Amino acid sequence: DQQVKQNSPSLSVQEGRISILNCDYTNSMFDYFLWYKKYPAEGPTFLISISSIKDKNEDGRFTVFLNKSAKHLSLHIVPSQPGDSAVYFCAARRRLSGANNLFFGTGTRLTVIP
Amino acid sequence: DARVTQTPRHKVTEMGQEVTMRCQPILGHNTVFWYRQTMMQGLELLAYFRNRAPLDDSGMPKDRFSAEMPDATLATLKIQPSEPRDSAVYFCASGADTDTQYFGPGTRLTVL
């Protein structure tokens, strides 16, 4: 039972344009959301996060938006660069429960075309 | 530059053999996680430890998988006996009881 879903396995974007990666979740107990980026032959690395008390968090070219009513979050990358080409995983946590474990989606492979 | 290390990076074995994967968490981190990456499920949590105590191993097939932390600098994931369906990349991650987990480079396991 996949509680975090990334329905687009892949996305291609031209360099300089906006990349939008989407993520849906089913568990209303999730209160903290993260995006991880993964290059081939490496482990995932933390990119950006958002608490459920916010609807937007921005860090440089990366912005995460959270729509709690729709149980949907998205990651915007502007402008996209070839170095952003990687697999992006969405993850969620039940922070208030005290549990540290994250629930991950299946990932979206982003390709930024020069 | 503190990192999570995992050994071996690659392992090819035959069905029925025992496989042991090792992880050295970042010094000072008190939570350790084992994940398996598959195409269909993405990153699945297998087990996690806090202060070396197992807190959740519900994602792990109990009959063949076992996870331990003999000490604060070593976590192990063992599969016995291994099966072809266990072929995947296994990641270890550690954290300091915060939201961010730091992942190792993974062990790519192939069971023939």
Side-chain angles (χ1 to χ4, degrees), chain A residues 18-60:
Chain A
I18 184 170
S19 295
I20 301 176
L21 296 99
N22 293 304
C23 177
D24 298 293
Y25 60 96
T26 57
N27 191 336
S28 57
M29 301 296 289
F30 289 145
D31 51 16
Y32 200 79
F33 304 89
L34 306 91
W35 285 93
Y36 278 77
K37 176 179 177 178
K38 185 185 177 305
Y39 291 117
E42 294 183 13
T45 55
F46 170 73
L47 187 59
I48 192 170
S49 62
I50 188 167
S51 164
S52 60
I53 62 172
K54 294 186 173 183
D55 54 20
K56 176 182 173 181
N57 189 26
E58 193 171 349
D59 183 3

Side-chain angles (χ1 to χ4, degrees), chain A:
Chain A
D1 179 26
Q2 199 75 23
Q3 297 186 55
V4 178
K5 300 176 185 179
Q6 293 176 259
N7 293 320
S8 298
S10 62
L11 174 69
S12 290
V13 171
Q14 287 289 136
E15 181 179 3
R17 299 287 188 113
I18 184 170
S19 295
I20 301 176
L21 296 99
N22 293 304
C23 177
D24 298 293
Y25 60 96
T26 57
N27 191 336
S28 57
M29 301 296 289
F30 289 145
D31 51 16
Y32 200 79
F33 304 89
L34 306 91
W35 285 93
Y36 278 77
K37 176 179 177 178
K38 185 185 177 305
Y39 291 117
E42 294 183 13
T45 55
F46 170 73
L47 187 59
I48 192 170
S49 62
I50 188 167
S51 164
S52 60
I53 62 172
K54 294 186 173 183
D55 54 20
K56 176 182 173 181
N57 189 26
E58 193 171 349
D59 183 3
R61 297 185 296 114
F62 302 90
T63 304
V64 56
F65 295 91
L66 176 62
N67 182 335
K68 288 190 291 295
S69 60
K71 295 194 180 68
H72 177 84
L73 65 157
S74 60
L75 174 68
H76 292 212
I77 307 173
V78 183
S80 302
Q81 298 173 355
D84 297 328
S85 296
V87 176
Y88 289 79
F89 289 97
C90 171
R93 181 188 171 191
R94 294 171 302 188
R95 205 191 218 181
L96 276 179
S97 73
N100 297 89
N101 53 307
L102 298 175
F103 294 82
F104 282 87
T106 50
T108 296
R109 181 179 300 278
L110 173 66
T111 303
V112 180
I113 303 162

